[in-house]
Amino acid sequence: MVETLDAAARAALASQLPDWALEGEHLKRSVRFADFSRAFAFMTRVALLAEAQDHHPEWFNVYNRVDIALTTHDAGGLSARDVRLAKAIDALL
């Protein structure tokens, strides 16, 4: 079973992932692109990363905006899997 992040690991998130917000048991980020095609291309790249990591985001897309929320449902909260995927997503941007 995957374990949730402890208090120290959660506190470190602000410096490790400055573009992400910690909201309850989710890491969230909103990204805007020039147009829908670029937003969808980004989502496709994230989908491939997520599938490779077997860890899938909750997300929402409207035109040029992609909202992403990461949490580990199996663990009942944030885990190292969320941090790893957030860092991989950041590397795409």
Side-chain angles (χ1 to χ4, degrees):
M1 182 169 163
V2 179
E3 293 189 24
T4 58
L5 298 178
D6 62 23
R10 289 172 71 97
L13 292 174
S15 63
Q16 291 179 13
L17 299 166
D19 296 317
W20 293 78
L22 179 59
E23 295 182 19
E25 293 302 320
H26 289 83
L27 277 173
K28 293 187 175 184
R29 181 166 185 186
S30 184
V31 186
R32 291 190 182 267
F33 297 90
D35 54 35
F36 176 77
S37 294
R38 287 185 174 94
F40 194 84
F42 167 75
M43 291 179 73
T44 301
R45 290 190 308 272
V46 171
L48 294 171
L49 282 173
E51 190 65 18
Q53 293 184 19
D54 192 28
H55 190 57
H56 305 93
E58 298 173 14
W59 54 7
F60 181 77
N61 166 246
V62 174
Y63 183 57
N64 68 336
R65 188 183 86 229
V66 178
D67 298 326
I68 307 166
L70 302 176
T71 192
T72 304
H73 295 284
D74 294 347
L78 289 172
S79 76
R81 296 178 81 188
D82 302 304
V83 175
R84 185 170 42 255
L85 184 55
K87 288 179 178 180
I89 290 169
D90 283 352
L92 293 175
L93 294 168

